[in-house]
Amino acid sequence: MGESTHGTGEFFGLKHRIVEFLVREEGFTTLAMEASQSAARALDAYVRYGTGAPERLVARLGFWTWRTLEMVDLVEWLRAHNRDLPEERRVRFVGTDPQLCGDSVEAVTAFLRRTAPDQAGRMGALDVLARARPGSLPDPERALMRRAEEIARLVADHAGRSGTGDDADEPLEHARILVRAADLVTRPFGASAGEDGVYAARDRYMAEAVARLVDDAPEARIMVWADNGHIAKGTYGDQVPALGSRLRERYGNAYYALALLFGKGSFLARRGNDLQRPPARHRIGTGLRSLEARLTHAVPGDYYADLRTAGSPADAAPWLHAPHAQRSFGANVQRFLYRLNTAPLVPAEDYDGIAFVARSTCSHLLPPAED
């Protein structure tokens, strides 16, 4: 399940309905989200066992985009669904993004203080991983990643001595998250597009996170939530292999890419590159040359087009097999030129379905946390 903006309330509402349907009617078992792998583990404990406060846990997922009332509503529905079910039937919540892993830094530090106090001081070098973004600490020598790998080996050694079960598995998984995060933050943005680029590495890690869920439980059915660019079956940006392309290659038609697009309206995003700036309301019209403009004029109102079904629009409309430009707005957008943000695509090749919302309105942010 993709989205062309992270700040559209209707996208949250539609995905909520889709999640309910897939869980209740189709037996889906896990929601895997473009959110911090580290922080999502605590939210999963709430969803499955009721541990913690949902507003606080949602606010800690790593990105302002998920700190919304709509996300809390979805999380509380997952908790209500799970409450009276046996353990093996409860739906899980999993983050797929290794970055912003403060919980993992804390968990591994606490584990080493308990099992190897003389080694716990080595964690200081990894504190930066709680805040660092992909590509923000380029290091050709990969010293930070080597330190994270050393810590992971240390944790694996002491976890093995302490026995099996959750007490050993939890710190070991947090240590592995730190290795992935260290890899991301030390890759240069200037790397060539392909497998060595920071964006390609991030999508590869997110795809691997989904694949692990399937490998660990072959009967699992996974709902993936990310940006349209990530869930596409081809490439995005400067020919970056998308998460969706990796999952399609691995699972074939068992992977279904649903794009969420809108015609006109408003959405939330930060202006410029200042990560401390609060999100602001942005407006955009239908336009003339985008895929969204064509979809607006094709059918009035909100609708869903399945591009796989025989006799579907993909067969009936040759233009769906031709190159187009789709609008794309991330968590941050250019201050004045955001209306020009587009990405190339061939609709019937990049997506299996399109959910189109005629009018977008802003998602609703949670109030600031009290000190």
Side-chain angles (χ1 to χ4, degrees), residues 82-218:
N82 283 339
R83 184 172 288 113
D84 297 323
L85 293 177
E87 169 73 18
E88 66 275 10
R89 291 180 53 200
R90 293 177 185 174
V91 179
R92 296 182 59 196
F93 184 97
V94 176
T96 61
D97 197 333
Q99 64 175 301
L100 302 175
C101 49
D103 281 16
S104 294
V105 172
E106 293 179 7
V108 174
T109 299
F111 176 77
L112 291 179
R113 284 175 178 164
R114 187 172 67 253
T115 62
D118 58 323
Q119 300 290 330
R122 299 172 62 183
M123 281 296 298
L126 302 186
D127 287 347
V128 67
L129 296 177
R131 304 172 302 279
R133 301 274 178 172
S136 62
L137 299 172
D139 176 15
E141 302 300 322
R142 313 302 294 278
L144 187 64
M145 185 173 176
R146 290 201 309 274
R147 175 58 63 88
E149 290 173 331
E150 292 170 0
I151 294 294
R153 287 192 291 269
L154 181 64
V155 171
D157 180 51
H158 286 277
R161 296 178 191 175
S162 65
T164 59
D166 293 342
D167 288 345
D169 291 344
E170 187 75 5
L172 185 55
E173 179 54 31
H174 278 297
R176 291 167 177 160
I177 291 171
L178 294 179
V179 174
R180 296 190 283 267
D183 182 30
L184 280 185
V185 304
T186 53
R187 286 179 182 260
F189 272 112
S192 59
E195 292 296 320
D196 291 333
V198 64
Y199 293 113
R202 182 172 178 239
D203 272 58
R204 182 171 65 253
Y205 279 132
M206 291 196 292
E208 289 172 355
V210 176
R212 282 194 297 273
L213 294 170
V214 178
D215 292 344
D216 291 344

Side-chain angles (χ1 to χ4, degrees), residues 6-286:
H6 291 312
T8 289
E10 286 73 13
F11 289 167
F12 280 97
L14 178 54
K15 287 184 179 181
H16 188 151
R17 293 177 64 188
I18 293 172
V19 167
E20 286 196 29
F21 171 79
L22 292 177
V23 169
R24 284 175 166 169
E25 305 297 332
E26 300 296 329
F28 275 69
T29 60
T30 305
L31 175 58
M33 192 162 179
E34 181 191 350
S36 165
Q37 285 183 347
S38 179
R41 297 179 76 82
L43 186 55
D44 181 53
Y46 172 77
V47 165
R48 289 200 282 170
Y49 310 116
T51 306
E55 294 85 356
R56 185 180 68 85
L57 296 170
V58 163
R60 296 172 64 250
L61 282 177
F63 307 96
W64 70 262
T65 51
W66 313 138
R67 298 171 194 156
T68 67
L69 295 174
E70 291 90 346
M71 181 57 67
V72 172
D73 286 344
L74 174 57
V75 166
E76 290 185 328
W77 181 84
L78 290 170
R79 175 61 198 142
H81 173 81
N82 283 339
R83 184 172 288 113
D84 297 323
L85 293 177
E87 169 73 18
E88 66 275 10
R89 291 180 53 200
R90 293 177 185 174
V91 179
R92 296 182 59 196
F93 184 97
V94 176
T96 61
D97 197 333
Q99 64 175 301
L100 302 175
C101 49
D103 281 16
S104 294
V105 172
E106 293 179 7
V108 174
T109 299
F111 176 77
L112 291 179
R113 284 175 178 164
R114 187 172 67 253
T115 62
D118 58 323
Q119 300 290 330
R122 299 172 62 183
M123 281 296 298
L126 302 186
D127 287 347
V128 67
L129 296 177
R131 304 172 302 279
R133 301 274 178 172
S136 62
L137 299 172
D139 176 15
E141 302 300 322
R142 313 302 294 278
L144 187 64
M145 185 173 176
R146 290 201 309 274
R147 175 58 63 88
E149 290 173 331
E150 292 170 0
I151 294 294
R153 287 192 291 269
L154 181 64
V155 171
D157 180 51
H158 286 277
R161 296 178 191 175
S162 65
T164 59
D166 293 342
D167 288 345
D169 291 344
E170 187 75 5
L172 185 55
E173 179 54 31
H174 278 297
R176 291 167 177 160
I177 291 171
L178 294 179
V179 174
R180 296 190 283 267
D183 182 30
L184 280 185
V185 304
T186 53
R187 286 179 182 260
F189 272 112
S192 59
E195 292 296 320
D196 291 333
V198 64
Y199 293 113
R202 182 172 178 239
D203 272 58
R204 182 171 65 253
Y205 279 132
M206 291 196 292
E208 289 172 355
V210 176
R212 282 194 297 273
L213 294 170
V214 178
D215 292 344
D216 291 344
E219 73 284 359
R221 307 190 74 186
I222 315 299
M223 302 165 283
V224 180
W225 178 321
D227 179 86
N228 280 343
H230 293 308
I231 65 104
K233 296 182 293 183
T235 60
Y236 72 95
D238 189 16
Q239 297 301 301
V240 173
L243 172 158
S245 70
R246 300 176 190 279
L247 295 178
R248 184 54 171 257
E249 180 179 0
R250 184 166 182 143
Y251 301 111
N253 282 339
Y255 176 73
Y256 188 99
L258 176 66
L260 271 64
L261 304 172
F262 75 99
K264 62 182 179 180
S266 59
F267 62 93
L268 289 180
R270 281 180 171 149
R271 293 193 178 108
N273 294 319
D274 185 354
L275 298 180
Q276 304 305 315
R277 185 187 297 271
R281 182 171 180 263
H282 295 73
R283 292 186 56 82
I284 191 167
T286 302

